[in-house]
Amino acid sequence: MFGNNIIMAPFWAWICSQIIKTILYVAINKEFNYERLLGDGGMPSSHSATVMSLVTIVGLTYGAAGFEFAIAGVLALITMHDAMGVRRETGKQAKVIKSMAELFEEIGKDVPGEEKLKEFVGHTPLQVLMGAILGVIVGLVYYQV
């Protein structure tokens, strides 16, 4: 497995993305949040970095005319579209629900003890673009090494 470039390039793209995401979070918020190291959402998109490094390494290994590249490309498009669409809307809804729960608590109403909703689940188009660029770079570098 560790000798398989098709697996390892996306793995390293994900690792790089998560580290960059955590560093940016600390720089902006002046606090360390362990969830940023492993969690979804944020800048850059680790999903986009992962799938675009896959597309890049597959394209360089098998060529753009092969079925492998087509499969990786379609997977990347679906993943990045989902990150900006459904998953982003889910994060927005989580913020609204949290605000409503806080409002109910302020006026003394009981709020059901649900699990903590995650707000960082989706991505803006810029976060997806930066993740995609990172993924291409990692794929290119990994292919050269």
Side-chain angles (χ1 to χ4, degrees):
M1 181 173 95
F2 294 111
N4 186 336
N5 290 346
I6 307 301
I7 293 173
M8 295 309 296
F11 171 76
W12 285 110
W14 180 79
I15 293 289
C16 290
S17 176
Q18 292 301 114
I19 290 170
I20 291 168
K21 186 183 303 192
T22 303
I23 291 168
L24 288 174
Y25 184 88
V26 169
I28 292 168
N29 297 293
K30 309 292 188 241
E31 68 177 8
F32 178 78
N33 182 342
Y34 178 75
E35 184 179 321
R36 295 292 79 222
L37 197 54
L38 298 174
D40 298 328
M43 172 71 93
S45 165
S46 56
H47 289 84
S48 298
T50 302
V51 294
M52 284 306 294
S53 68
L54 177 66
V55 168
T56 303
I57 197 80
V58 165
L60 292 169
T61 303
Y62 298 108
F67 76 90
E68 299 93 343
F69 183 77
I71 291 170
V74 169
L75 173 67
L77 289 173
I78 291 168
T79 300
M80 292 187 292
H81 180 267
D82 183 64
M84 289 186 297
V86 174
R87 291 181 55 244
R88 184 172 179 207
E89 290 303 315
T90 300
K92 289 179 182 179
Q93 291 171 4
K95 286 180 184 179
V96 171
I97 292 169
K98 279 184 173 182
S99 295
M100 291 171 59
E102 289 170 2
L103 180 63
F104 278 115
E105 287 176 357
E106 285 177 17
I107 61 173
K109 299 287 184 185
D110 288 333
V111 178
E114 300 293 325
E115 286 186 37
K116 182 181 175 190
L117 295 172
K118 293 183 180 181
E119 295 178 27
F120 290 109
V121 292
H123 295 284
T124 65
L126 180 61
Q127 292 169 339
V128 169
L129 176 63
M130 292 296 107
I133 291 169
L134 174 64
V136 170
I137 292 169
V138 170
L140 288 169
V141 168
Y142 202 87
Y143 183 77
Q144 297 300 319
V145 173

PDB file of all heavy atoms in Angstrom, residues 120-142:
ATOM      1  N   PHE A 120     -18.718  23.361  10.746  1.00  0.00           N
ATOM      2  CA  PHE A 120     -17.684  23.245   9.719  1.00  0.00           C
ATOM      3  C   PHE A 120     -17.861  21.933   8.961  1.00  0.00           C
ATOM      4  O   PHE A 120     -17.180  20.954   9.238  1.00  0.00           O
ATOM      5  CB  PHE A 120     -16.282  23.266  10.354  1.00  0.00           C
ATOM      6  CG  PHE A 120     -15.890  24.587  10.908  1.00  0.00           C
ATOM      7  CD1 PHE A 120     -15.800  24.781  12.271  1.00  0.00           C
ATOM      8  CD2 PHE A 120     -15.584  25.648  10.067  1.00  0.00           C
ATOM      9  CE1 PHE A 120     -15.420  25.998  12.799  1.00  0.00           C
ATOM     10  CE2 PHE A 120     -15.202  26.876  10.586  1.00  0.00           C
ATOM     11  CZ  PHE A 120     -15.124  27.054  11.952  1.00  0.00           C
ATOM     12  N   VAL A 121     -18.761  21.892   8.024  1.00  0.00           N
ATOM     13  CA  VAL A 121     -18.941  20.670   7.234  1.00  0.00           C
ATOM     14  C   VAL A 121     -18.824  20.916   5.741  1.00  0.00           C
ATOM     15  O   VAL A 121     -18.520  20.003   4.988  1.00  0.00           O
ATOM     16  CB  VAL A 121     -20.284  19.958   7.537  1.00  0.00           C
ATOM     17  CG1 VAL A 121     -20.290  19.397   8.939  1.00  0.00           C
ATOM     18  CG2 VAL A 121     -21.458  20.870   7.311  1.00  0.00           C
ATOM     19  N   GLY A 122     -19.057  22.117   5.292  1.00  0.00           N
ATOM     20  CA  GLY A 122     -19.013  22.419   3.868  1.00  0.00           C
ATOM     21  C   GLY A 122     -17.946  23.447   3.551  1.00  0.00           C
ATOM     22  O   GLY A 122     -17.175  23.851   4.409  1.00  0.00           O
ATOM     23  N   HIS A 123     -17.917  23.865   2.288  1.00  0.00           N
ATOM     24  CA  HIS A 123     -16.873  24.775   1.835  1.00  0.00           C
ATOM     25  C   HIS A 123     -17.425  25.863   0.932  1.00  0.00           C
ATOM     26  O   HIS A 123     -18.384  25.642   0.196  1.00  0.00           O
ATOM     27  CB  HIS A 123     -15.808  24.007   1.051  1.00  0.00           C
ATOM     28  CG  HIS A 123     -15.060  23.029   1.877  1.00  0.00           C
ATOM     29  ND1 HIS A 123     -14.090  23.392   2.770  1.00  0.00           N
ATOM     30  CD2 HIS A 123     -15.143  21.678   1.948  1.00  0.00           C
ATOM     31  CE1 HIS A 123     -13.602  22.323   3.349  1.00  0.00           C
ATOM     32  NE2 HIS A 123     -14.230  21.269   2.873  1.00  0.00           N
ATOM     33  N   THR A 124     -16.748  27.001   0.962  1.00  0.00           N
ATOM     34  CA  THR A 124     -17.026  28.057  -0.002  1.00  0.00           C
ATOM     35  C   THR A 124     -16.317  27.680  -1.309  1.00  0.00           C
ATOM     36  O   THR A 124     -15.395  26.844  -1.298  1.00  0.00           O
ATOM     37  CB  THR A 124     -16.480  29.410   0.497  1.00  0.00           C
ATOM     38  OG1 THR A 124     -15.050  29.328   0.566  1.00  0.00           O
ATOM     39  CG2 THR A 124     -17.058  29.773   1.856  1.00  0.00           C
ATOM     40  N   PRO A 125     -16.715  28.300  -2.407  1.00  0.00           N
ATOM     41  CA  PRO A 125     -16.010  28.017  -3.665  1.00  0.00           C
ATOM     42  C   PRO A 125     -14.505  28.299  -3.571  1.00  0.00           C
ATOM     43  O   PRO A 125     -13.703  27.559  -4.144  1.00  0.00           O
ATOM     44  CB  PRO A 125     -16.695  28.957  -4.663  1.00  0.00           C
ATOM     45  CG  PRO A 125     -18.098  29.089  -4.134  1.00  0.00           C
ATOM     46  CD  PRO A 125     -17.918  29.114  -2.638  1.00  0.00           C
ATOM     47  N   LEU A 126     -14.095  29.344  -2.833  1.00  0.00           N
ATOM     48  CA  LEU A 126     -12.676  29.643  -2.687  1.00  0.00           C
ATOM     49  C   LEU A 126     -11.944  28.519  -1.942  1.00  0.00           C
ATOM     50  O   LEU A 126     -10.834  28.132  -2.318  1.00  0.00           O
ATOM     51  CB  LEU A 126     -12.479  30.980  -1.961  1.00  0.00           C
ATOM     52  CG  LEU A 126     -11.026  31.402  -1.743  1.00  0.00           C
ATOM     53  CD1 LEU A 126     -10.299  31.579  -3.082  1.00  0.00           C
ATOM     54  CD2 LEU A 126     -10.960  32.671  -0.910  1.00  0.00           C
ATOM     55  N   GLN A 127     -12.559  27.993  -0.897  1.00  0.00           N
ATOM     56  CA  GLN A 127     -11.941  26.896  -0.149  1.00  0.00           C
ATOM     57  C   GLN A 127     -11.779  25.661  -1.024  1.00  0.00           C
ATOM     58  O   GLN A 127     -10.764  24.959  -0.945  1.00  0.00           O
ATOM     59  CB  GLN A 127     -12.781  26.561   1.090  1.00  0.00           C
ATOM     60  CG  GLN A 127     -12.773  27.650   2.133  1.00  0.00           C
ATOM     61  CD  GLN A 127     -13.818  27.425   3.218  1.00  0.00           C
ATOM     62  OE1 GLN A 127     -14.789  26.701   3.042  1.00  0.00           O
ATOM     63  NE2 GLN A 127     -13.612  28.068   4.360  1.00  0.00           N
ATOM     64  N   VAL A 128     -12.776  25.398  -1.861  1.00  0.00           N
ATOM     65  CA  VAL A 128     -12.703  24.259  -2.782  1.00  0.00           C
ATOM     66  C   VAL A 128     -11.609  24.495  -3.825  1.00  0.00           C
ATOM     67  O   VAL A 128     -10.807  23.599  -4.124  1.00  0.00           O
ATOM     68  CB  VAL A 128     -14.075  23.996  -3.455  1.00  0.00           C
ATOM     69  CG1 VAL A 128     -13.950  22.994  -4.595  1.00  0.00           C
ATOM     70  CG2 VAL A 128     -15.067  23.494  -2.413  1.00  0.00           C
ATOM     71  N   LEU A 129     -11.541  25.705  -4.361  1.00  0.00           N
ATOM     72  CA  LEU A 129     -10.512  26.031  -5.347  1.00  0.00           C
ATOM     73  C   LEU A 129      -9.114  25.884  -4.748  1.00  0.00           C
ATOM     74  O   LEU A 129      -8.225  25.282  -5.367  1.00  0.00           O
ATOM     75  CB  LEU A 129     -10.713  27.453  -5.871  1.00  0.00           C
ATOM     76  CG  LEU A 129      -9.644  27.965  -6.841  1.00  0.00           C
ATOM     77  CD1 LEU A 129      -9.626  27.127  -8.121  1.00  0.00           C
ATOM     78  CD2 LEU A 129      -9.873  29.433  -7.154  1.00  0.00           C
ATOM     79  N   MET A 130      -8.909  26.402  -3.554  1.00  0.00           N
ATOM     80  CA  MET A 130      -7.591  26.304  -2.917  1.00  0.00           C
ATOM     81  C   MET A 130      -7.233  24.851  -2.619  1.00  0.00           C
ATOM     82  O   MET A 130      -6.082  24.441  -2.779  1.00  0.00           O
ATOM     83  CB  MET A 130      -7.547  27.128  -1.622  1.00  0.00           C
ATOM     84  CG  MET A 130      -7.615  28.626  -1.846  1.00  0.00           C
ATOM     85  SD  MET A 130      -6.191  29.265  -2.766  1.00  0.00           S
ATOM     86  CE  MET A 130      -6.913  29.613  -4.343  1.00  0.00           C
ATOM     87  N   GLY A 131      -8.219  24.064  -2.205  1.00  0.00           N
ATOM     88  CA  GLY A 131      -7.977  22.636  -1.987  1.00  0.00           C
ATOM     89  C   GLY A 131      -7.615  21.929  -3.285  1.00  0.00           C
ATOM     90  O   GLY A 131      -6.711  21.088  -3.324  1.00  0.00           O
ATOM     91  N   ALA A 132      -8.308  22.289  -4.367  1.00  0.00           N
ATOM     92  CA  ALA A 132      -8.026  21.681  -5.673  1.00  0.00           C
ATOM     93  C   ALA A 132      -6.611  22.018  -6.129  1.00  0.00           C
ATOM     94  O   ALA A 132      -5.871  21.149  -6.615  1.00  0.00           O
ATOM     95  CB  ALA A 132      -9.056  22.150  -6.696  1.00  0.00           C
ATOM     96  N   ILE A 133      -6.219  23.281  -5.958  1.00  0.00           N
ATOM     97  CA  ILE A 133      -4.858  23.695  -6.346  1.00  0.00           C
ATOM     98  C   ILE A 133      -3.820  22.952  -5.505  1.00  0.00           C
ATOM     99  O   ILE A 133      -2.825  22.443  -6.033  1.00  0.00           O
ATOM    100  CB  ILE A 133      -4.701  25.225  -6.223  1.00  0.00           C
ATOM    101  CG1 ILE A 133      -5.555  25.921  -7.297  1.00  0.00           C
ATOM    102  CG2 ILE A 133      -3.227  25.635  -6.328  1.00  0.00           C
ATOM    103  CD1 ILE A 133      -5.682  27.423  -7.109  1.00  0.00           C
ATOM    104  N   LEU A 134      -4.055  22.872  -4.206  1.00  0.00           N
ATOM    105  CA  LEU A 134      -3.151  22.132  -3.332  1.00  0.00           C
ATOM    106  C   LEU A 134      -3.048  20.675  -3.780  1.00  0.00           C
ATOM    107  O   LEU A 134      -1.957  20.107  -3.834  1.00  0.00           O
ATOM    108  CB  LEU A 134      -3.616  22.214  -1.877  1.00  0.00           C
ATOM    109  CG  LEU A 134      -2.839  21.366  -0.870  1.00  0.00           C
ATOM    110  CD1 LEU A 134      -1.385  21.840  -0.780  1.00  0.00           C
ATOM    111  CD2 LEU A 134      -3.514  21.414   0.495  1.00  0.00           C
ATOM    112  N   GLY A 135      -4.182  20.063  -4.113  1.00  0.00           N
ATOM    113  CA  GLY A 135      -4.184  18.670  -4.551  1.00  0.00           C
ATOM    114  C   GLY A 135      -3.379  18.454  -5.818  1.00  0.00           C
ATOM    115  O   GLY A 135      -2.623  17.480  -5.936  1.00  0.00           O
ATOM    116  N   VAL A 136      -3.516  19.355  -6.779  1.00  0.00           N
ATOM    117  CA  VAL A 136      -2.747  19.252  -8.022  1.00  0.00           C
ATOM    118  C   VAL A 136      -1.253  19.374  -7.717  1.00  0.00           C
ATOM    119  O   VAL A 136      -0.433  18.601  -8.232  1.00  0.00           O
ATOM    120  CB  VAL A 136      -3.198  20.318  -9.049  1.00  0.00           C
ATOM    121  CG1 VAL A 136      -2.246  20.375 -10.233  1.00  0.00           C
ATOM    122  CG2 VAL A 136      -4.619  20.023  -9.520  1.00  0.00           C
ATOM    123  N   ILE A 137      -0.895  20.331  -6.861  1.00  0.00           N
ATOM    124  CA  ILE A 137       0.513  20.512  -6.505  1.00  0.00           C
ATOM    125  C   ILE A 137       1.070  19.261  -5.830  1.00  0.00           C
ATOM    126  O   ILE A 137       2.149  18.772  -6.189  1.00  0.00           O
ATOM    127  CB  ILE A 137       0.698  21.761  -5.617  1.00  0.00           C
ATOM    128  CG1 ILE A 137       0.411  23.029  -6.429  1.00  0.00           C
ATOM    129  CG2 ILE A 137       2.101  21.804  -5.000  1.00  0.00           C
ATOM    130  CD1 ILE A 137       0.296  24.288  -5.596  1.00  0.00           C
ATOM    131  N   VAL A 138       0.336  18.731  -4.853  1.00  0.00           N
ATOM    132  CA  VAL A 138       0.802  17.528  -4.158  1.00  0.00           C
ATOM    133  C   VAL A 138       0.907  16.356  -5.135  1.00  0.00           C
ATOM    134  O   VAL A 138       1.884  15.608  -5.104  1.00  0.00           O
ATOM    135  CB  VAL A 138      -0.112  17.169  -2.961  1.00  0.00           C
ATOM    136  CG1 VAL A 138       0.238  15.800  -2.392  1.00  0.00           C
ATOM    137  CG2 VAL A 138      -0.016  18.231  -1.880  1.00  0.00           C
ATOM    138  N   GLY A 139      -0.067  16.211  -6.027  1.00  0.00           N
ATOM    139  CA  GLY A 139      -0.012  15.140  -7.021  1.00  0.00           C
ATOM    140  C   GLY A 139       1.202  15.264  -7.920  1.00  0.00           C
ATOM    141  O   GLY A 139       1.888  14.273  -8.207  1.00  0.00           O
ATOM    142  N   LEU A 140       1.493  16.481  -8.374  1.00  0.00           N
ATOM    143  CA  LEU A 140       2.665  16.722  -9.230  1.00  0.00           C
ATOM    144  C   LEU A 140       3.968  16.429  -8.489  1.00  0.00           C
ATOM    145  O   LEU A 140       4.854  15.758  -9.013  1.00  0.00           O
ATOM    146  CB  LEU A 140       2.677  18.167  -9.724  1.00  0.00           C
ATOM    147  CG  LEU A 140       1.629  18.532 -10.779  1.00  0.00           C
ATOM    148  CD1 LEU A 140       1.583  20.040 -10.982  1.00  0.00           C
ATOM    149  CD2 LEU A 140       1.904  17.812 -12.087  1.00  0.00           C
ATOM    150  N   VAL A 141       4.061  16.922  -7.260  1.00  0.00           N
ATOM    151  CA  VAL A 141       5.272  16.703  -6.467  1.00  0.00           C
ATOM    152  C   VAL A 141       5.446  15.214  -6.173  1.00  0.00           C
ATOM    153  O   VAL A 141       6.541  14.661  -6.323  1.00  0.00           O
ATOM    154  CB  VAL A 141       5.227  17.526  -5.150  1.00  0.00           C
ATOM    155  CG1 VAL A 141       6.332  17.093  -4.181  1.00  0.00           C
ATOM    156  CG2 VAL A 141       5.318  19.010  -5.465  1.00  0.00           C
ATOM    157  N   TYR A 142       4.379  14.558  -5.773  1.00  0.00           N
ATOM    158  CA  TYR A 142       4.470  13.138  -5.432  1.00  0.00           C
ATOM    159  C   TYR A 142       4.858  12.323  -6.662  1.00  0.00           C
ATOM    160  O   TYR A 142       5.631  11.364  -6.545  1.00  0.00           O
ATOM    161  CB  TYR A 142       3.144  12.638  -4.841  1.00  0.00           C
ATOM    162  CG  TYR A 142       3.338  11.402  -4.001  1.00  0.00           C
ATOM    163  CD1 TYR A 142       3.668  11.515  -2.666  1.00  0.00           C
ATOM    164  CD2 TYR A 142       3.226  10.146  -4.558  1.00  0.00           C
ATOM    165  CE1 TYR A 142       3.882  10.391  -1.873  1.00  0.00           C
ATOM    166  CE2 TYR A 142       3.441   9.006  -3.780  1.00  0.00           C
ATOM    167  CZ  TYR A 142       3.770   9.137  -2.447  1.00  0.00           C
ATOM    168  OH  TYR A 142       3.996   8.035  -1.695  1.00  0.00           O
TER     169      TYR A 142
END
